[in-house]
Amino acid sequence: MRRPHVLAIPYPAQGHVIPLLELSQCLVKHGFRVTFVNTDYNHKRVVNALGEKNCVGDQIKLVSIPDGMEPWESRNDLCKLTEANLRVMPGKLEELIENINKQEADKISCVIGDGSMGWVMEVAEKMKIQRAAFWPAAAGLLALSFGIPKFLKDGIIDSDGTPIKKQKIRLAPNMAAISSSNFAWACIGDFTSQKIIFDFILQNNETLKKSEFLLCNSTYDLEPGAFALIPELLPIGPLLASNRLGSSAGHFWPEDSTCLKWLNQQQPNSVIYVAFGSFTVFDKIQFQELALGLELCHKPFLWVVRPDITYDSNDAYPEGFQDRVGTRGQMVGWAPQQKVLSHPSIACFLSHCGWNSTMEGVSNGVPFLCWPYFADQFLNEGYICDIWKVGLRLTKNKNGIITTEEIKSEVEKVLGDENFKARALELKEKSLNSLTENGQSNKTFKNLVEWIKA
């Protein structure tokens, strides 16, 4: 009997690769084969970061197709990346599927494509293959994207997506409010970039309708208002390696696991964990304010400092900083974040509020300090601070800087009020309930498995 063979393809960014690869590993536990398609550029990074440890197993085959960009071009330029992807990847994906189906007994029975790449649904439909779209971000973000026609009709945004006037938008009760100036497309790059992204979202909303199954890495309990707006969107989160007692995979940088030994030496509930995902970049002034703020807190901290986190490639730390903090501060290039956040020594999470980080923090009962950078991160901050009330915002001064004093002050507030931790633990229980036998995410996953096998 042939095994079901799923082809999974994420949008080429870190926060999209990890949860889809996690879903792939869950499918493997139910007897599936998975071909996981990264871009050539990201495939090399993922394979390099995995190194000798094969935590994806032999039932997941990691393959790649070109992304349409030159090797030296920046993949952080989302407009160029999106335009290049649309030009090149659909044809290459079709070729890949044809080759797999010619060469292998287990032909592709279903394509699971990232919800930010609706064109994948078009390719699968054309090839008469079952297709599911996976939305790795908040349900609220998709609700905002689907809300664009209403925003145009109500005069909230112009035809190019530009906010006509700055106002707070709340689409449903229990859904985070967001300023129109912080719509995902309105805080990415310059005006030209925003227009390109806006047009792409409009196009993507249409192609996404071709999916037969629409999955979301969230839960009804976390976002009841957003899910009510999109009845066809089904929760399947939180997708975390710890839920299947495995290790997370799909990282672009090798994880430095030595920090786990350092965490073992710290007191329970004492460490500030600081991580800003894969996109955030600081100028030297802001980077140094952050460093001095952590120093001023006089608490142990674990800080993820990517090699490309500052514009200045020279040593950006304040003079003498590393000597002064000594063993109280641990800096690593990339951390095994899910294991870090589940460690009993973690007290709070100073985060950019990417959805993966948000779900990982929530699922471990960790309070937040919010420092969003772009795209959907402002919406996620709204959930954390205003709806779930498990964290605090960091506020910029008139020069656009989050100061040393602001960092110290908010750390003291979040750690000094036990209600944040109490609410975070309640939210943890609520989010993980979805994965129990009768939980909605568990039901969605079982239905997905049965649908693909049928």
Side-chain angles (χ1 to χ4, degrees), residues 158-417:
D158 221 326
S159 58
D160 58 11
T162 308
I164 292 172
K165 60 179 178 180
K166 189 175 175 179
Q167 56 184 300
K168 283 267 187 183
I169 304 297
R170 189 193 301 277
L171 290 182
N174 300 319
M175 186 174 154
I178 186 168
S179 168
S180 55
S181 59
N182 283 335
F183 284 155
W185 60 88
C187 50
I188 294 177
D190 58 17
F191 174 77
T192 306
S193 303
Q194 290 168 19
K195 173 78 171 96
I196 291 168
I197 296 294
F198 179 73
D199 288 344
F200 171 72
I201 290 171
L202 282 174
Q203 179 186 340
N204 194 68
N205 286 347
E206 292 307 307
T207 51
L208 207 51
K209 291 174 184 172
K210 295 179 183 289
S211 66
E212 298 172 281
F213 228 102
L214 187 54
L215 309 162
C216 181
N217 186 22
S218 186
T219 78
Y220 281 144
D221 283 340
L222 290 176
E223 302 187 80
F227 277 105
L229 290 171
I230 315 173
E232 68 273 25
L233 185 65
L234 302 171
I236 201 168
L239 285 161
L240 303 171
S242 54
N243 297 331
R244 57 177 173 82
L245 307 177
S247 292
S248 174
H251 299 270
F252 290 176
W253 291 270
E255 295 174 333
D256 185 343
S257 294
T258 58
C259 62
L260 298 173
K261 293 176 187 168
W262 177 84
L263 284 174
N264 290 339
Q265 297 161 10
Q266 309 308 314
Q267 293 297 313
N269 205 35
S270 67
V271 176
I272 305 164
Y273 176 55
V274 186
F276 293 94
S278 56
F279 271 103
T280 303
V281 181
F282 294 119
D283 62 31
K284 191 165 183 175
I285 292 170
Q286 182 61 86
F287 183 83
Q288 295 201 345
E289 285 288 320
L290 171 54
L292 294 171
L294 293 172
E295 181 183 346
L296 202 60
C297 289
H298 299 296
K299 291 191 176 297
F301 62 88
L302 170 59
W303 183 10
V304 178
V305 184
R306 295 190 329 267
D308 59 351
I309 202 167
T310 60
Y311 294 111
D312 188 351
S313 57
N314 300 322
D315 185 8
Y317 293 109
E319 193 173 343
F321 167 75
Q322 287 160 295
D323 291 333
R324 291 194 303 274
V325 297
T327 55
R328 178 166 64 81
Q330 184 85 343
M331 280 78 78
V332 295
W334 196 250
Q337 183 160 289
Q338 292 185 25
K339 289 178 180 172
V340 167
L341 286 167
S342 65
H343 199 283
S345 71
I346 297 298
C348 71
F349 184 9
L350 176 45
S351 172
H352 67 306
C353 306
W355 189 247
N356 268 350
S357 292
T358 300
M359 291 298 276
E360 288 163 4
V362 161
S363 300
N364 285 292
V366 179
F368 286 80
L369 286 162
C370 299
W371 190 328
Y373 179 66
F374 79 151
D376 64 324
Q377 295 161 13
F378 297 94
L379 174 71
N380 304 340
E381 176 190 52
Y383 273 127
I384 291 165
C385 300
D386 305 328
I387 303 299
W388 307 329
K389 301 186 189 306
V390 293
L392 292 173
R393 289 176 172 81
L394 291 164
T395 306
K396 293 178 178 178
N397 68 9
K398 63 177 191 281
N399 298 319
I401 296 290
I402 293 174
T403 64
T404 297
E405 294 75 20
E406 171 71 2
I407 293 163
K408 178 177 184 290
S409 166
E410 298 309 295
V411 166
E412 287 173 352
K413 282 181 197 170
V414 87
L415 297 185
D417 184 343

